[in-house]
Amino acid sequence: NMKSSMKEFYFTFAETWLNYTIAGCNSTEKCLIGLHGHVFDISNFVEHHPGSTETLLLQAGRDATVFFESMGHSLGARKLALEMCAVVNGQCCRWQFASEEGSNNVASYQLRPGPLGPLFATWGLIKPRCRSLDIKRNIVGFFTPRKRSSPRFQGGLYRIRERIRRGEEIQLADAARYVEESIGQNGMFGGIQVYYDPFCGWRWWYTDRDFNAVFATPPRS
């Protein structure tokens, strides 16, 4: 029925929106990256990255949380990232705070581990300058963890998350065969990426030798 299908779409979109909306945005002109459920616009930073520009370009256009955390970025790097946040996922923030012992100063607030706090919390996608983020936006640990951490996950339906995960595994295997048969590893930089378009189904994309994003529709089985 209509109510059931809308609920299905809502939770599917919540699981897939990030990779769907930023797929292929991995050029020096438009470079978007996903970290811990949020989108960061690093277009003006990519050519000034202390590592290589190419490293960022190959990780951009998708969720790069695992790669980011594997590099062990410093607290300073995490603070720098805050300035580039373009879209905030309210479910991946840590809204609940506790002050340091004996202190009532908002600036000294530390994050309290545990469930997300309900006060002023917003559960959708938020602009970084939204009023509900006024106090918290510059506190490292609110958007992303203060130190190396596993990816943050939002709430959702387990069966939908598992369906997307299993689908992604199948698509990656199919895409790898497509590369081997049609493109070859010398025809691209990095590997082929897959994402779920909540309106049209699974899609693939890769970065060609000229650093252009190329999209492909999986063949019908």
Side-chain angles (χ1 to χ4, degrees):
N1 59 40
M2 178 71 72
K3 185 175 181 179
S4 176
S5 61
M6 286 302 295
K7 177 181 177 181
E8 190 86 3
F9 177 83
Y10 173 85
F11 283 105
T12 299
F13 186 86
E15 289 293 328
T16 59
W17 74 272
L18 194 152
N19 283 335
Y20 160 61
T21 54
I22 69 174
C25 296
N26 67 331
S27 69
T28 53
E29 291 77 28
K30 187 176 184 180
C31 196
L32 304 179
I33 199 165
L35 294 176
H36 290 286
H38 315 294
V39 173
F40 294 78
D41 184 348
I42 60 173
S43 305
N44 294 328
F45 171 74
V46 64
E47 293 187 289
H48 305 286
H49 183 237
S52 69
T53 298
E54 291 75 14
T55 298
L56 284 187
L57 293 179
L58 290 176
Q59 296 300 322
R62 57 191 170 118
D63 185 344
T65 303
V66 172
F67 178 81
F68 177 86
E69 293 295 357
S70 72
M71 295 293 102
H73 284 87
S74 66
L75 183 60
R78 294 166 190 271
K79 288 181 178 179
L80 180 63
L82 295 180
E83 302 172 9
M84 294 177 272
C85 189
V87 180
V88 176
N89 184 346
Q91 288 202 47
C92 293
C93 294
R94 294 299 180 257
W95 293 90
Q96 196 158 320
F97 294 82
S99 63
E100 293 180 338
E101 186 175 356
S103 173
N104 294 315
N105 188 343
V106 169
S108 70
Y109 274 21
Q110 299 296 312
L111 294 172
R112 176 189 302 157
L116 303 180
L119 188 61
F120 302 122
T122 304
W123 306 120
L125 303 181
I126 318 168
K127 293 181 180 179
R129 297 300 171 187
C130 177
R131 184 180 176 186
S132 64
L133 303 177
D134 280 348
I135 295 175
K136 308 172 182 68
R137 73 165 61 90
N138 294 321
I139 301 176
V140 177
F142 175 64
F143 288 151
T144 61
R146 296 173 58 86
K147 57 186 178 181
R148 184 178 292 184
S149 173
S150 299
R152 287 182 178 174
F153 290 105
Q154 61 187 25
L157 295 183
Y158 175 80
R159 65 176 178 81
I160 290 180
R161 180 170 294 158
E162 280 298 292
R163 188 190 71 199
I164 297 297
R165 183 188 64 78
R166 289 194 299 269
E168 183 177 37
E169 290 178 351
I170 294 171
Q171 292 297 318
L172 283 170
D174 290 346
R177 286 192 291 271
Y178 168 79
V179 169
E180 185 176 341
E181 297 170 1
S182 305
I183 305 172
Q185 289 297 337
N186 292 330
M188 64 169 63
F189 284 116
I192 192 164
Q193 312 302 326
V194 304
Y195 67 94
Y196 187 78
D197 179 335
F199 299 96
C200 301
W202 288 100
R203 299 290 305 277
W204 303 343
W205 72 278
Y206 62 91
T207 303
D208 68 15
R209 300 298 290 186
D210 295 319
F211 259 96
N212 297 312
V214 179
F215 289 82
T217 301
R220 294 181 179 273
S221 55

